[in-house]
Amino acid sequence: MPARHDDLIRLDAALLALRRLTSAPPALPGLDQDGSPVEVSTMLVADAIARSAREDGCSINDVAQALTVAHSTASRLVDRAVRAGVVTRNRDADQRRRAVLRLTDGGRRLHAEAVAFRTGRLAAVTAEWSPTDVATLTELVERFAADAHPHLPTAGRTTP
């Protein structure tokens, strides 16, 4: 049975309202060479690389898939993250056309701080909720994310 139109309108409004919940933490220190604040896109690139959990690093294509953007867009975002000192980019020894991306120490620190910030906000928002309600919401959001982007691993199968 399809969802009611009114419910979809409410869901759309709720999702738009939540967009800022996972945005950049305002207090994270800038890592850019010029000391400017780190861009949200740089944090998303760091998150994509960290969540890939591959020992041999990941590729620009992996970042593009994780962020659901075109390869050229991912390449520009990775360039920005490299300039910010968050990511290293090296050529793959076996596949010269493939770039191998890894987080720097600063990138790992940025990722950890961003995850701590976001989970702290989630804990504050759900502080009055029962553990069962939080688990139910988590399962439903994971299901929604998996259905919206079936090619991506769900949050429950990745590591922060």
Side-chain angles (χ1 to χ4, degrees):
M1 174 197 273
R4 289 184 14 198
H5 182 70
D6 289 349
D7 289 336
L8 294 175
I9 295 293
R10 289 175 46 220
L11 178 59
D12 179 59
L15 291 172
L16 287 173
L18 289 175
R19 184 179 63 80
R20 289 205 165 271
L21 183 66
T22 58
S23 65
L28 282 182
L31 294 179
D32 281 352
Q33 303 302 328
D34 63 1
S36 62
V38 175
E39 305 248 354
V40 173
S41 63
T42 297
M43 283 189 269
L44 292 174
V45 168
D47 186 68
I49 294 170
R51 289 179 190 271
S52 76
R54 290 179 35 191
E55 300 255 339
D56 62 341
C58 70
S59 69
I60 292 173
N61 193 49
D62 295 329
V63 171
Q65 287 183 333
L67 300 182
T68 62
V69 297
H71 188 277
S72 59
T73 300
S75 183
R76 285 191 301 275
L77 297 176
V78 166
D79 286 345
R80 185 179 297 154
V82 168
R83 283 192 308 273
V86 173
V87 173
T88 61
R89 178 198 309 221
N90 296 298
R91 290 281 158 218
D92 186 312
D94 297 326
Q95 301 174 39
R96 298 299 295 160
R97 293 189 62 190
R98 179 181 184 265
V100 177
L101 309 173
R102 290 188 178 84
L103 292 178
T104 63
D105 289 342
R108 283 187 289 281
R109 192 169 47 254
L110 174 70
H111 178 255
E113 291 173 2
V115 169
F117 172 82
R118 292 190 311 259
T119 56
R121 287 186 76 182
L122 292 170
V125 168
T126 61
E128 302 297 318
W129 293 31
S130 73
T132 301
D133 285 348
V134 174
T136 299
L137 176 64
T138 301
E139 289 171 18
L140 289 171
V141 171
E142 285 177 343
R143 182 173 142 201
F144 182 82
D147 287 349
H149 299 288
H151 67 283
L152 298 177
T154 64
R157 291 188 297 235
T158 62
T159 56

